[in-house]
Amino acid sequence: MAKKLHDTPNLDELEKGPWPSFVTGIKRLAKNNDMAVDLLGQLETSYRTKKGYWKGGTVGVFGYGGGVIPRFTELKDENGEPVFKDAAEFHTLRIQPPAGMHYTTDILRKMCDVWEKHGSGLIAFHGQSGDIMFQGATTENVQKAFDELNEMGFDLGGAGPAVRTSMSCVGAARCEQSCFDEAKAHREVVNTFLDDMHRPSLPYKFKFKFSGCPNDCMNSIQRADMAVIGTWRDNMRTDEALARKWFAGHGMDELVNDVVARCPTKAFQLKQIKDVKKGEHISSVAVSDTHAVEIDNKDCVRCMHCINVMTGALATASTS
Ligand code: HEM
Ligand code: SF4
Ligand code: SF4
């Protein structure tokens, strides 16, 4: 049983509405954890005064120069003592997830146990840096928590002026548009630059992001210093049964207005079957007994639009 909750009228507002509320989640943790009780206290103060009260500092574990984000409270009383003493130190451990972010429930339970023992119980799967964010530990407990997670086979991620853990899209694990093995590429890059992640020596942070195709679900162009985006080399693949099914369901207007007209390079054409071009750069597929779509792959800029609309009927090529 933890200490009594502070009054949090502002935070309570965030529990209303249709979506899961982080406030409800932290209140649940606060039933057994004084740190979570005082976290809510400091957060409520911030909502009232419209000021943030966390400052950084230097906290780490032996052998590593990064991977921990230190946070100390600046909310002090007239004697210089923290107003919310159980959340006065609220550091975050960044831990690298397994490749592809696939876990067993057993591992997830063990992670929760470690963090309930040494931290606030609050874990974010996953932060935008690509790590599991174990949020809220005292300076003393950071090393203890890390040692237990390390025993389970996990390692620190990146924080500070260093290479970050990075992220890859779900890609080959579940997505038919994937043009390369994103999780493998991601893991190989992380392993190659591990020293630059754990012993920061760069003037600033450095982020990779991996997207399996030009849809760029990772927003890697906006979010990364180095964006890795899959594309394909040879001709787009087609499937006649699925193309006919798509056309039967969507019709000529949609094919013309939403696909043909929106191809940025006019590589995508609607033709009568008898007029379809032949050639090594041409992909084509019948959508009915009279009409076919024809793609001149030399002119295709791999924007993904037609493939997104007619997924299955059209697919990225086999050589990517
Ligand atoms: C002008 C200064 C800053 C810029 C332009 C900036 C930019 C960014 C960007 C673009 C991201 C997302 C990266 C991604 O998607 O992978 C990010 C994440 C983050 N930034 Fe900053 N940042 C700045 C300053 C700071 C400062 C001063 C702090 C802390 C005191 C900070 C803490 C963080 C944290 C903790 C994350 C990760 C959030 C998460 O994992 O969910 N940033 N920042
Ligand atoms: S970027 Fe492409 S491959 Fe990756 S999840 Fe998005 S659509 Fe799929
Ligand atoms: S992927 Fe190629 S053919 Fe399809 S709409 Fe984009 S440019 Fe046109």
Side-chain angles (χ1 to χ4, degrees):
M1 227 11 220
K3 62 186 185 181
K4 194 171 155 296
L5 283 181
H6 306 283
D7 282 339
T8 54
N10 287 292
L11 295 184
D12 296 347
E13 288 296 313
L14 300 178
E15 295 190 274
K16 298 175 183 165
W19 306 108
S21 164
F22 74 95
V23 174
T24 309
I26 300 176
K27 280 186 182 170
R28 199 163 55 231
L29 293 171
K31 284 185 188 146
N32 303 309
N33 189 307
D34 288 344
M35 202 173 205
V37 175
D38 275 2
L39 174 68
L40 288 166
Q42 171 152 332
L43 201 54
E44 174 69 19
T45 311
S46 284
Y47 272 79
R48 203 174 61 242
T49 62
K50 299 189 168 60
K51 283 188 190 160
Y53 295 101
W54 298 114
K55 73 179 168 75
T58 310
V59 176
V61 297
F62 290 115
Y64 294 76
V68 179
I69 305 166
R71 286 294 179 266
F72 296 91
T73 187
E74 284 192 306
L75 200 57
K76 306 278 178 66
D77 62 18
E78 59 279 8
N79 302 317
E81 296 299 323
V83 176
F84 298 103
K85 68 177 177 52
D86 289 307
E89 295 172 353
F90 203 87
H91 313 314
T92 292
L93 259 83
R94 282 190 171 156
I95 297 287
Q96 290 180 41
M101 293 173 174
H102 295 93
Y103 299 86
T104 60
T105 49
D106 181 49
I107 283 287
L108 289 172
R109 283 178 210 288
K110 284 185 182 147
M111 285 179 164
C112 293
D113 289 345
V114 169
W115 205 239
E116 277 168 15
K117 187 160 131 205
H118 296 299
S120 70
L122 186 64
I123 309 175
F125 289 93
H126 303 84
Q128 294 196 58
S129 60
D131 292 302
I132 317 165
M133 309 283 276
F134 289 84
Q135 294 167 325
T138 59
T139 307
E140 188 193 343
N141 280 1
V142 162
Q143 182 76 49
K144 293 179 191 163
F146 173 68
D147 288 345
E148 287 200 27
L149 292 165
N150 201 215
E151 278 300 313
M152 287 161 59
F154 288 87
D155 204 354
L156 273 190
V163 170
R164 301 301 173 82
T165 301
S166 312
M167 295 182 90
S168 44
C169 72
V170 68
R174 265 209 329 258
C175 176
E176 58 268 75
Q177 322 291 29
S178 167
C179 294
F180 71 103
D181 187 338
E182 303 82 1
K184 185 172 177 212
H186 180 180
R187 176 50 56 189
E188 283 180 1
V189 165
V190 165
N191 287 353
T192 304
F193 291 103
L194 203 59
D195 207 40
D196 279 312
M197 186 184 301
H198 289 155
R199 280 156 280 280
S201 57
L202 305 177
Y204 198 62
K205 51 189 165 183
F206 193 95
K207 296 171 182 173
F208 293 92
K209 296 278 184 295
F210 300 84
S211 282
C213 80
N215 280 335
D216 194 11
C217 292
M218 277 291 106
N219 290 335
S220 59
I221 289 177
Q222 293 87 349
R223 293 171 59 206
D225 301 287
M226 183 171 291
V228 181
I229 299 176
T231 185
W232 62 95
R233 274 198 285 253
D234 61 358
N235 294 346
M236 208 183 279
R237 284 176 291 164
T238 58
D239 181 314
E240 185 171 333
L242 290 176
R244 283 176 179 266
K245 192 171 163 207
W246 186 92
F247 186 72
H250 295 264
M252 187 61 90
D253 289 2
E254 203 172 317
L255 179 60
V256 171
N257 295 330
D258 284 351
V259 192
V260 179
R262 289 177 200 260
C263 171
T265 58
K266 298 191 166 47
F268 192 104
Q269 302 271 315
L270 177 68
K271 294 265 178 90
Q272 295 206 27
I273 288 176
K274 64 182 170 54
D275 298 330
V276 170
K277 280 194 285 192
K278 297 271 180 287
E280 60 171 322
H281 299 297
I282 303 293
S283 300
S284 68
V285 62
V287 293
S288 69
D289 291 342
T290 52
H291 283 83
V293 298
E294 174 195 288
I295 297 133
D296 188 338
N297 288 280
K298 273 203 316 310
D299 291 338
C300 166
V301 290
R302 276 68 169 157
C303 80
M304 291 297 292
H305 176 68
C306 61
I307 298 177
N308 288 337
V309 180
M310 300 176 69
T311 298
L314 305 172
T316 56
S318 50
T319 55
S320 38

